Amino acid sequence: MGVLEDARYEGVDLRPWGKFDGATRMGYSLLFHLIDVGAVAGVLWDWFLTPSQREVVSTGLGMSQERARALVSFLAAMHDIGKLIPYFQSLEPVAQMRLGEELLADAGRVVEVPHARASMHAGLRLLSELGFELGGNDSPAVRAAQCLGGHHGRFLQLDVDGAASARRIRATLGGLCWQDLRRRYTRLLWHLFGVDAPPQQMTVEAAVLITGLTMVADRVASQRRYWVPNAHTPSFAAAEHHTHARGQAQEEVERLGLARFPLDRVPFTTAHPALAEPNALQASVMEDLPRMVAGRGSGIAVVTDAMGAGKSVTALEMARIFNEHCGSQGVMWLLPATAAADQAYEVLDRYVRAHRPDFAPVTLVHHHSDLNEAYTERRLSPQDLSVLDGPPDDPFTDDADGLLDEEGDCGPDTAGPDRWLRGRDNALLAQYTVTTIDQAQMAVLPVRHSALRMLALSGRTVVVDEAHALDAFSQLQLLRLLNWLGALNSPVVLLSATMPASTTTELVRAYLSGAGRTGLHSVSFAPGYPGWLFADAATGTAHLMPEPAQDRQRAAQRRTARIRIRPVTYRRLGQTGRRVDAGERLAVIADTLQPAVHHGGCAAVVCATVADAQDTYAYLRSIWTGPAHDLVLVHARVGERRRQNTLADLRRELGPTGPRPPRRVVVTTSLLDMSLDIDVDMMVSDLASVARMLQRLGRLGRFTRRWAGQSRRPVWWDGDNSPSLTVLHPVNSRGLTALPPGWGTIEPPVTLHETARLLPQLEKKPLVVPDDVQALVEQVHGVTSGFAAETRRLQQMAAAHQGRTRRLQQLSALHMVPPPKRVSSLADLHRQHLTTAQAATRPGLLPRRLLPCYRTADGGLTLDAAGLVPLPDQEHLSPRHLRSILEHTVPVPAAWASRASARHQPPASWKQHPLLTDTLLLPTQPVTRESERDPGEQFGHHWLRMDDELGLLHHKQQ
């Protein structure tokens, strides 16, 4: 029987099921589900894929975009052909009973084969019958079959002459009747989606994007609200259903916010209302970059400028230019920390809203985005899985049908995303996304759904903010990610205030290598400081910011700051009330802060570790005479809600237009270093590397130019003599640098020692920003720095640092997927079956979450010290309960909690919820005078106690 007859009423058997509704015992035709997914894929090709992504796929298939669309829709529809096997059809006895007698009689011995693997094995032969060349790992038939098998998240190895052989298929996937029906379904889909010829090639890049698109289409069509109505009102035949499916797919893709949209051109001051005009660097980008991009196409840009000089605005203008000329749409903004991502989300959201789109979803993706009040008001249900936690990660486990419940429509005048775009890693698919860089790094790690992440990253401008802030472990993953983005022809913008020229060159070369450019080992890609550089993917040529514009930017941003050095003796506070001697670190901090304490002003004390911040705050609090709220402590080891609220208050009060308080002293850690748009009048910092100190300087007198003529500074402020950064230099009795225990794990000791060696030179004259920045960075962090030859001790530390760097790079390389040009079988992308919880994007293990709670007199546990909010323990946790749990959790290194006992285990009901699976309890005694001497809870050698004011206290038993 031909495909025309099969498309008609009673032409082909529609009884095999693809979806099953347990509530109504209603099955949904497998063929109709295949048509649904193919139709959604076609609409996604039209509305979701960007022109640059369509170009990558069509070029990778060696055919026109119109023919490529038809082929991609067909392959997406074929994703579940492996459900047409005896094993899968037997999983629901009610649905199995409805099969025809011929299929039941021909089932033979039922062999357990996961349907994704069955789709790959059966699909290989079916595709070869359609003319797909069947050969080695890179042949179109093999790669297309692996696309079918990879739709559940992992590419599987395909043994052509073994498990995928005709003999094994007959033995495991049903007899001749099953094979014949699979063949008829395949040819019918080929006909319905209008494919006229098989591809002669399929590149790795095309295969990855096709698989990612299939995953999205399958998720859309697998929503219960999508297919259950179709099951209750079925079409008469395949052709009729195909007509219906195309209309339904268009409505759903638009409803979910997946349709791409252009932002209207608006004046610069409308897009960035806080600015009166572009600065010299931004004006240079807007004048010169469009001509370069229009002539050369996509590429990678680098922006280096002083802290607070407007790099974010420059990146958004670059993204606009790239999107206008390169066929890309949208922005993926990557940042190294959640606090920086929260602020960037507000910036990007305001930017998108300024263009007044009818509907423009902007998403925020990181571990704790649920607690960002600017982003939330969402339902925290098991369906809204954390991007990192994800579903069960067995490579052969099928996704549960109906994972996504019905959502309400989003209002027309909001930039917030539909709830479907908040759940799972769907949030990465929004056209405008802010995320921590670890989410992007997992696109080049062998984790489930990495192809979907790559689909989400490609096709829009990727902005890597604070690109200097990664260590060797994470930097290698960023290099691999840039290599893939170059191969996918996605424009990239790198931003940094303190990046060595050698690091910049390495990152640009990685991108250009992915784009196919070679022979660049002797080429430097340093943009100058301040400045910008554009390297086009077509030729690898570097285009630099014109020198006159560079000089204007340097002159306009020029300001000075003084570095003052205070040698200190490092000693922990210990018990509150201990006498602190003159010359101790804590005494020097208190002495330096006297102008702000007595005469007002805003000051920051940046400490090397959380423990140092807790000691500093406790000591200052013991001698504090002003209002308690004038002294603020913020670090990572407090409840998530408290940290979010404190940082939000600081951004509001100390921001460019905030209600600046008469006095505020903030004690913090490196949270202050990145992307916080705040200004303080005075700063005290523990010894840190030059790069970190320069980052901190970016918050010292940040808005002086903007506030010219306004009385926002304290009476002791002397603008003529420059604001000062006081650096605490820990020394021993001989006056030599003596790093306290634990500081060497934060930054390489060799860079701290070299920075300490440079401090006397920095104190002699004011530091000029931006003129002096790049030279200082190169002197300590560049590959040509000569400090290792100064002393034998520094040589040894430099050798240890280089050895550790090599070990981190080797460890990082063990888990990364290969570059696209080194992929033979698509299974090379998933040689290891890492889960998202196991995939390390930074050295060491991922942190655990502790939930501080309080034990009542009757032995119960509550979330509050007053004992009024019992610990939620029920089978179905409400969104309110989930939020109250999450906002109290504290992240800690996994080693601290590795020896948890039974008393630290959460209620059994929590283990069923993906957002709570890694949570441990930290029972805490209500606050009393005696509780200050309580060592807390024991986890092996680690003692942990939550203090309501200081946060989590940690002590390791020696």
Side-chain angles (χ1 to χ4, degrees):
M1 187 173 292
V3 292
L4 292 179
E5 289 78 11
D6 277 348
R8 296 171 181 167
Y9 180 58
E10 293 186 344
V12 69
D13 191 351
L14 300 177
R15 287 172 291 185
W17 63 279
K19 298 289 180 184
F20 189 81
D21 181 20
T24 62
R25 317 299 287 171
M26 173 69 72
Y28 185 51
S29 167
L30 171 61
L31 179 59
F32 286 179
H33 173 62
L34 301 183
I35 293 173
D36 288 343
V37 174
V40 172
V43 175
L44 290 174
W45 174 281
D46 297 332
W47 293 359
F48 173 75
L49 288 191
T50 64
S52 65
Q53 287 175 312
R54 292 196 289 266
E55 180 65 24
V56 169
V57 174
S58 59
T59 301
L61 295 175
M63 54 178 55
S64 68
Q65 291 197 15
E66 183 180 0
R67 295 174 62 205
R69 179 192 187 279
L71 183 66
V72 168
S73 300
F74 164 74
L75 290 175
M78 285 286 289
H79 76 291
D80 269 353
I81 196 67
K83 287 184 175 180
L84 191 50
I85 61 173
Y87 170 68
F88 182 86
Q89 293 298 316
S90 68
L91 294 178
E92 287 292 347
V94 173
Q96 182 188 27
M97 292 173 57
R98 298 169 184 165
L99 295 178
E101 294 182 1
E102 290 184 350
L103 288 178
L104 291 173
D106 198 31
R109 183 172 65 90
V110 176
V111 179
E112 180 177 350
V113 182
H115 81 261
R117 185 171 290 276
S119 292
M120 179 177 67
H121 288 165
L124 179 69
R125 301 297 166 181
L126 295 169
L127 294 173
S128 65
E129 291 176 4
L130 292 173
F132 284 70
E133 179 188 350
L134 176 56
N137 285 330
D138 60 350
S139 64
V142 171
R143 283 192 171 160
Q146 287 183 304
C147 290
L148 305 187
H151 78 272
H152 274 300
R154 296 190 187 277
F155 290 113
L156 308 173
Q157 184 60 50
L158 181 55
D159 185 356
V160 175
D161 299 320
S165 65
R167 178 180 59 82
R168 290 284 296 276
I169 290 176
R170 286 195 299 271
T172 58
L173 304 186
L176 292 175
C177 290
W178 294 88
Q179 293 180 51
D180 179 65
L181 191 55
R182 287 196 296 268
R183 184 175 294 111
R184 291 172 68 183
Y185 274 21
T186 301
R187 294 185 180 276
L188 179 56
L189 295 173
W190 182 269
H191 165 71
L192 289 176
F193 290 105
V195 189
D196 57 8
Q200 299 305 307
Q201 65 180 40
M202 182 178 285
T203 63
V204 173
E205 296 89 341
V208 168
L209 294 187
I210 290 170
T211 305
L213 189 74
T214 300
M215 292 177 188
V216 179
D218 191 25
R219 290 184 180 186
V220 172
S222 293
Q223 298 173 99
R224 296 179 62 81
R225 56 168 303 283
Y226 191 93
W227 64 265
V228 168
N230 293 341
H232 288 284
T233 56
S235 302
F236 287 107
E240 182 189 26
H241 184 76
H242 179 243
T243 301
H244 165 75
R246 286 181 295 177
Q248 185 182 16
Q250 291 177 358
E251 293 176 2
E252 191 65 15
V253 168
E254 185 174 15
R255 192 191 72 83
L256 294 177
L258 290 172
R260 300 293 183 186
F261 53 89
L263 293 183
D264 295 335
R265 287 295 301 272
V266 298
F268 179 87
T269 53
T270 301
H272 313 284
L275 302 178
E277 61 181 4
N279 63 30
L281 191 148
Q282 293 157 359
S284 172
V285 165
M286 297 165 64
E287 180 180 352
D288 298 323
L289 187 60
R291 170 176 42 82
M292 298 175 185
V293 176
R296 299 297 185 99
S298 183
I300 183 170
V302 183
V303 178
T304 59
D305 203 355
M307 299 65 65
K311 291 186 295 296
S312 297
V313 172
T314 305
L316 291 173
E317 287 301 308
M318 282 185 159
R320 175 185 61 78
I321 294 167
F322 281 131
N323 292 340
E324 287 179 356
H325 297 282
C326 300
S328 53
Q329 292 176 307
V331 172
M332 175 78 82
W333 198 338
L334 311 180
L335 295 110
T338 58
D342 288 339
Q343 176 153 320
Y345 171 75
E346 296 174 11
V347 172
L348 184 60
D349 189 54
R350 284 196 301 268
Y351 173 78
V352 173
R353 288 176 186 269
H355 292 76
R356 297 187 178 277
D358 291 334
F359 176 73
V362 181
T363 57
L364 174 66
V365 185
H366 59 68
H367 283 84
H368 311 299
S369 56
D370 299 328
L371 303 180
N372 184 309
E373 290 185 349
Y375 180 63
T376 49
E377 298 310 319
R378 59 169 284 185
R379 175 185 174 196
L380 290 177
S381 67
Q383 289 80 359
D384 291 328
L385 302 182
S386 162
V387 174
L388 282 180
D389 296 332
D393 216 316
D394 188 318
F396 306 120
T397 298
D398 296 329
D399 288 338
D401 292 333
L403 192 60
L404 299 163
D405 288 339
E406 184 170 358
E407 307 88 353
D409 286 326
C410 199
D413 55 352
T414 177
D418 185 281
R419 221 190 73 219
W420 190 87
L421 278 177
R422 294 185 189 272
R424 282 186 166 187
D425 37 10
N426 297 339
L428 293 170
L429 300 173
Q431 187 166 329
Y432 290 89
T433 303
V434 175
T435 179
T436 46
I437 197 167
D438 55 353
Q439 302 294 332
Q441 287 171 264
M442 279 191 284
V444 292
L445 293 176
V447 300
R448 201 173 186 215
H449 301 119
S450 58
L452 186 145
R453 292 175 188 270
M454 197 63 76
L455 174 77
L457 280 161
S458 63
R460 50 181 159 171
T461 301
V462 178
V463 177
V464 185
D465 206 344
E466 308 287 359
H468 63 277
L470 302 179
D471 58 25
F473 186 96
S474 302
Q475 192 83 359
L476 198 63
Q477 295 178 356
L478 176 59
L479 289 170
R480 184 59 48 82
L481 176 63
L482 291 174
N483 187 276
W484 272 86
L485 291 174
L488 293 166
N489 205 32
S490 297
V492 172
V493 179
L494 304 178
L495 305 178
S496 179
T498 56
M499 188 155 60
S502 56
T503 302
T504 304
T505 297
E506 189 178 23
L507 294 172
V508 173
R509 285 177 185 166
Y511 178 91
L512 295 176
S513 174
R517 307 285 70 80
T518 58
L520 301 175
H521 296 292
S522 60
V523 181
S524 174
F525 292 97
Y529 197 95
W532 60 268
L533 172 147
F534 167 61
D536 65 88
T539 66
T541 304
H543 311 269
L544 293 169
M545 177 182 181
E547 287 188 14
Q550 222 169 358
D551 293 339
R552 289 195 299 272
Q553 177 70 3
R554 191 177 294 114
Q557 299 295 335
R558 187 171 289 127
R559 60 191 180 95
T560 59
R562 288 195 171 273
I563 304 292
R564 304 189 186 279
I565 308 167
R566 298 290 298 271
V568 298
T569 302
Y570 179 87
R571 186 182 175 191
R572 291 292 307 275
L573 178 62
Q575 291 293 328
T576 304
R578 173 182 74 81
R579 177 184 173 184
V580 175
D581 297 326
E584 279 194 46
R585 172 183 172 275
L586 296 174
V588 171
I589 291 174
D591 180 61
T592 306
L593 292 174
Q594 288 306 305
V597 172
H598 290 113
H599 304 291
C602 298
V605 182
V606 190
C607 304
T609 68
V610 171
D612 292 329
Q614 291 170 328
D615 278 359
T616 303
Y617 176 83
Y619 176 68
L620 293 176
R621 182 190 59 186
S622 69
I623 62 175
W624 195 257
T625 58
H629 65 264
D630 282 352
L631 182 63
V632 178
L633 174 66
V634 56
H635 56 74
R637 291 188 200 136
V638 295
E640 291 296 333
R641 173 59 65 196
R642 173 179 163 185
R643 183 178 64 86
Q644 292 269 7
N645 289 344
T646 305
L647 286 173
D649 289 343
L650 289 178
R651 292 199 301 267
R652 178 178 57 84
E653 294 177 346
L654 305 183
T657 59
R660 197 168 183 82
R663 177 172 59 179
R664 187 75 80 242
V665 175
V666 181
V667 180
T668 184
T669 60
S670 58
L671 281 176
L672 193 74
D673 291 354
M674 290 179 292
S675 297
L676 288 181
D677 194 21
I678 63 173
D679 173 296
V680 294
D681 307 309
M682 172 191 295
M683 183 177 291
V684 183
S685 171
D686 279 326
L687 177 66
S689 67
V690 159
R692 286 204 180 201
M693 285 203 299
L694 290 171
Q695 289 288 339
R696 291 168 189 177
L697 268 176
R699 280 81 194 161
L700 180 61
R702 185 183 184 99
F703 307 134
T704 299
R705 287 180 178 273
R706 186 181 300 189
W707 293 346
Q710 302 180 37
S711 57
R712 288 196 164 208
R713 298 295 182 189
V715 294
W716 50 264
W717 173 269
D718 185 358
D720 295 333
N721 288 325
S722 309
S724 63
L725 167 63
T726 300
V727 179
L728 308 178
H729 180 201
V731 296
N732 57 21
S733 58
R734 293 176 295 167
L736 301 177
T737 302
L739 297 183
W743 282 25
T745 62
I746 300 169
E747 291 192 274
V750 66
T751 62
L752 295 177
H753 277 269
E754 171 59 6
T755 301
R757 190 181 69 84
L758 290 177
L759 286 178
Q761 301 177 31
L762 298 177
E763 193 175 30
K764 290 180 181 178
K765 60 179 182 178
L767 178 68
V768 181
V769 178
D771 303 60
D772 298 339
V773 171
Q774 192 66 37
L776 286 172
V777 171
E778 298 296 340
Q779 193 166 351
V780 175
H781 301 275
V783 293
T784 58
S785 57
F787 61 83
E790 289 295 320
T791 66
R792 180 174 180 83
R793 188 178 177 208
L794 278 178
Q795 288 178 3
Q796 292 172 344
M797 283 190 290
H801 170 54
Q802 291 164 0
R804 181 176 184 271
T805 297
R806 286 192 292 269
R807 289 194 298 272
L808 289 176
Q809 290 174 336
Q810 183 179 15
L811 180 62
S812 181
L814 286 175
H815 289 169
M816 282 193 304
V817 304
K821 291 178 175 58
R822 283 173 34 205
V823 174
S824 176
S825 168
L826 293 177
D828 293 342
L829 301 177
H830 289 103
R831 289 293 180 191
Q832 303 175 70
H833 283 166
L834 290 183
T835 68
T836 48
Q838 296 167 336
T841 55
R842 295 181 183 178
L845 298 176
L846 292 175
R848 295 295 301 269
R849 289 181 183 175
L850 288 185
L851 177 69
C853 50
Y854 299 86
R855 194 171 298 282
T856 60
D858 60 0
L861 292 173
T862 63
L863 288 174
D864 65 322
L868 302 177
V869 185
L871 201 69
D873 182 11
Q874 54 204 55
E875 184 177 356
H876 299 291
L877 294 170
S878 69
R880 178 175 57 84
H881 287 146
L882 285 167
R883 191 178 299 279
S884 66
I885 293 170
L886 290 172
E887 67 186 15
H888 284 85
T889 58
V890 180
V892 299
W896 292 9
S898 61
R899 301 284 295 276
S901 63
R903 62 186 269 108
H904 303 128
Q905 298 303 317
S909 61
W910 293 17
K911 293 296 183 182
Q912 306 305 313
H913 199 287
L915 294 177
L916 303 178
T917 52
D918 66 343
T919 304
L920 294 173
L921 302 183
L922 179 64
T924 299
Q925 299 297 329
V927 179
T928 63
R929 185 177 299 274
E930 289 72 22
S931 67
E932 290 191 4
R933 295 188 291 271
D934 179 14
E937 284 289 312
Q938 184 177 9
F939 294 78
H941 296 298
H942 299 271
W943 292 82
L944 301 173
R945 179 170 69 86
M946 177 57 74
D947 183 279
D948 287 344
E949 196 168 10
L950 298 179
L952 186 70
L953 301 176
H954 168 250
H955 171 69
K956 185 176 181 181
Q957 185 178 6
Q958 301 299 324

